Amino acid sequence: MKKVISILLLSVFMMVAVVGCANTQQGESGQTSDGEIKIHVGITEPITGAQASLGQAEYEGFKMAVEMINEQGGVMGKYPITYDFADSQSDPAVGASEAERLITTKNVPVIMGSYSSAIAAAVSEVCERHKVVLWEMSGAADSLLVKGYQWSFRSEANASAWGAESVEFLMGNDDKIQEKLGKSAKDLRIAIVHEDGPYGTAVADGNEATAKKYGMNIVLKEAYSAKAVDLSNIIMKIKAAQPDVLLLTSYVNDGIMFNRQAKELNFTVPILITHSGGHSVQAFVDGVGKDADYMLTVDPVPCNPNPDGFSDEYKAILEEFVKRWTDKFGVPPYHHVEYRQFAQTMLFFKEIVPVAIEKHGAFTAEAVADAIRSVDVPAENSLMGHGAKFSTPEQPWTDPWLGNQHTGQNFKARAFINQYFDGTLVTVWPENLAKREAVLFLPESHPLAAK
């Protein structure tokens, strides 16, 4: 009898051990115990705190992409996507702890997010320690990918590229500038003003480096805190510098305050170019009303682009996204936050994950990282408006603006110029994705236009 009991106990012990191994395998390999591939990720966005409105818009873009893919059966038509969400509360420390929780308790092999560059930096350290992929969709600061980390990837352009793009746009409009101002683009007087965080600083450094490359006259470069409650001193400095062009990088609240105080102080300028952040969001339009019209924004995505720049499949996806978003929220998704998160979620699940499954037969951090490093996605197969090919630890990418080396950066990424018309943001540069021709100079009807 004792022998029978011992055999039974041994059998139970072996069954428990097998089940334990199966559960470990599921967490580590992205497969269930019967070998079925499981697509499960973590997503972190700030839906409370100072960045809540922007993080919520990004989260909604992510959810809509997943919803549309799952309605077609999931990845490759047969692997449904599931996810766990974490609110970073607009705080890098919270973002890091929540990423840790998703990794250690939910066994996610991939973290997606994160909105701000500061949060992205904190999350990237956690992902590097745990060897989990960070698919960063919005933290644009150059500093994110210069540490040589092997598990962090960014598919959009780095922030200094946004700063370079605005200057290249000016140089590309030399004929219009000569006709209007009687001087060439390289002779323009440039003022660079930016919030002093890692994002705003990187954009401004891209502005400065590219302007210097062309020998432009930088008459002012000034930083301020996005938490400032008064920007009048900055605005008076800009007035005194008498620029032909103001290159401005702000978030929402400071962007709205700058617009209000600039009008109060009678500041005017011939050309105003903003850089995404707080200007390319619905909250800014709601805050300034008609003053948004004719403002140019530099964004990591072509907002409201000409769909002819995409393949037939992605044209249809874009059309369906616009319809669903408009039906749900009453406004079209024509700003960078919702559009880029939708576009990059689609890129990840339609162009990256299938490669991981085909090459490795599993959805693991290792398989996904290898797939990211091996893909070469053509521009027409990404709603980001550019192709996707990523630098590696062995072959980092050196940016041509500041000379930094980036690991995990999509070096085919670029920035785009969008412009407001009747409160709607439209792509105006480059030509293949432009819906309208850019209006370079603020028209006389605009309160900030040089008269």
Side-chain angles (χ1 to χ4, degrees), residues 121-144:
V123 172
S124 71
E125 293 180 3
V126 175
C127 289
E128 188 71 14
R129 187 167 67 252
H130 287 281
K131 294 183 165 67
V132 164
V133 168
L134 171 61
W135 180 252
E136 182 52 49
M137 298 188 281
S138 39
D142 287 36
S143 56
L144 180 64

Side-chain angles (χ1 to χ4, degrees), residues 32-77:
T32 58
S33 57
D34 61 0
E36 182 182 354
I37 295 171
K38 178 183 178 183
I39 310 295
H40 185 72
V41 301
I43 171 78
T44 176
E45 290 284 353
I47 61 170
T48 58
Q51 299 157 351
S53 62
L54 307 176
Q56 185 65 55
E58 290 201 338
Y59 184 35
E60 294 293 342
F62 166 85
K63 290 192 293 183
M64 196 164 285
V66 170
E67 176 185 276
M68 288 173 60
I69 293 170
N70 280 345
E71 286 176 3
Q72 300 299 317
V75 174
M76 303 169 74

Side-chain angles (χ1 to χ4, degrees), residues 354-408:
V355 174
I357 292 172
E358 289 169 354
K359 288 184 68 175
H360 300 276
F363 182 73
T364 65
E366 293 83 358
V368 171
D370 180 64
I372 294 171
R373 295 187 187 110
S374 64
V375 297
D376 189 353
V377 181
E380 60 267 25
N381 285 354
S382 171
L383 293 177
M384 292 296 290
H386 51 64
K389 190 168 180 60
F390 294 81
S391 61
T392 66
E394 297 75 27
Q395 291 184 304
W397 172 67
T398 302
D399 74 71
W401 309 286
L402 305 180
N404 295 321
Q405 289 193 327
H406 306 260
T407 300

Side-chain angles (χ1 to χ4, degrees), residues 183-226:
K183 63 174 73 174
S184 65
K186 66 180 180 60
D187 294 324
L188 290 171
R189 294 171 59 82
I190 308 291
I192 301 169
V193 176
H194 62 98
E195 64 86 21
D196 63 4
Y199 155 68
T201 300
V203 173
D205 288 347
N207 289 148
E208 181 181 34
T210 312
K212 285 183 176 179
K213 180 182 77 171
Y214 289 114
M216 288 177 163
N217 182 15
I218 300 173
V219 295
L220 179 71
K221 186 183 182 190
E222 192 79 18
Y224 69 89
S225 170

Side-chain angles (χ1 to χ4, degrees), residues 224-225 228-236 238-239 253-268 288 291 447-448:
Y224 69 89
S225 170
V229 296
D230 183 8
L231 295 176
S232 59
N233 183 52
I234 293 283
I235 294 168
M236 292 306 294
I238 306 171
K239 284 189 69 173
N253 292 336
D254 49 314
I256 293 171
M257 179 170 58
F258 183 96
N259 184 76
R260 174 175 55 80
Q261 291 190 318
K263 290 194 297 181
E264 291 172 351
L265 295 170
N266 297 312
F267 167 68
T268 62
V288 304
D291 290 355
L448 300 186

